[in-house]
Amino acid sequence: MRPRPTLVSLVIATALTAAPIAPTVAVAAPRAAKDAHSSSALQRAVVRSVNAARARHRLPPVRHQARLARAASAHSIDQLRSGQPSHRSADGTSFDQRLRRYSSARSVGETIVWLAPGQPIRARTVVRMWMASPSHRRVLMDRRLRRIGIGARSGTVGGYVRTVVTANFSSAR
């Protein structure tokens, strides 16, 4: 049996402290991630996939929140511009401090995935990758987190088009 080639993607969750990655070439203007989905269609598809995973574990669904989506989109752009995956903003702000600019909720969480060059942007794939990572899974399955915002952006990093999908979560209050 021949081994199947696999695309490798980088996945980061809130509990991970990312080691610095060597800087890469500047990012060409980040743009909304596109494939067969529009950006809003992709957002809805990721929310549906997250809620399907939560339902399998008898957890309440999350609801899309536009403010969290703006935060997620801005952070995806920030990561592409810096050329490295991180929960910290390029200016050193932690993810929870950054999210509190958009939400006054008690609890917040964040998951990030960098898709491999050429890897299609599919909501189910992104959620499956998060569920396969224990730290991401904890965020997705956190009963306190009831709101979600998705930001998917693409840009050229190190000569390759990369797509970053950020999911920001918050409690209802």
Side-chain angles (χ1 to χ4, degrees):
M1 177 191 271
R2 291 179 54 187
R4 234 171 78 189
T6 322
L7 291 174
V8 177
S9 297
L10 179 60
V11 181
I12 306 175
T14 57
L16 179 66
T17 303
I21 297 174
T24 58
V25 179
V27 175
R31 60 193 182 282
K34 296 202 191 275
D35 67 338
H37 297 296
S38 70
S39 185
S40 60
L42 177 63
Q43 289 175 352
R44 287 190 303 273
V46 171
V47 172
R48 277 193 309 271
S49 291
V50 167
N51 281 334
R54 287 174 66 96
R56 285 191 294 276
H57 292 87
R58 296 189 174 112
L59 293 170
V62 292
R63 286 188 22 205
H64 176 266
Q65 188 176 60
R67 285 179 296 179
L68 289 174
R70 284 192 299 275
S73 183
H75 189 56
S76 290
I77 290 169
D78 188 51
Q79 291 176 82
L80 286 167
R81 285 191 176 137
S82 71
Q84 57 186 331
S86 178
H87 289 288
R88 285 203 172 276
S89 298
D91 68 3
T93 305
S94 67
F95 87 91
D96 57 321
Q97 290 173 321
R98 179 174 23 84
L99 286 179
R100 299 224 189 271
R101 292 179 194 152
Y102 295 87
S103 173
S104 60
R106 286 186 188 143
S107 300
V108 296
E110 180 172 82
T111 58
I112 297 168
V113 65
W114 277 54
L115 298 173
Q119 186 171 4
I121 307 162
R122 293 195 178 100
R124 286 187 308 219
T125 302
V126 168
V127 173
R128 244 183 278 146
M129 292 167 71
W130 286 334
M131 290 296 288
S133 161
S135 53
H136 283 84
R137 183 183 181 93
R138 273 192 297 280
V139 173
L140 267 64
M141 297 293 117
D142 189 326
R143 179 177 295 282
R144 298 169 300 172
L145 302 177
R146 301 296 296 276
R147 305 288 184 262
I148 188 173
I150 307 298
R153 298 300 224 182
S154 296
T156 304
V157 178
Y160 296 98
V161 174
R162 300 297 304 257
T163 299
V164 177
V165 181
T166 301
N168 288 152
F169 296 84
S170 74
S171 56
R173 297 180 196 261

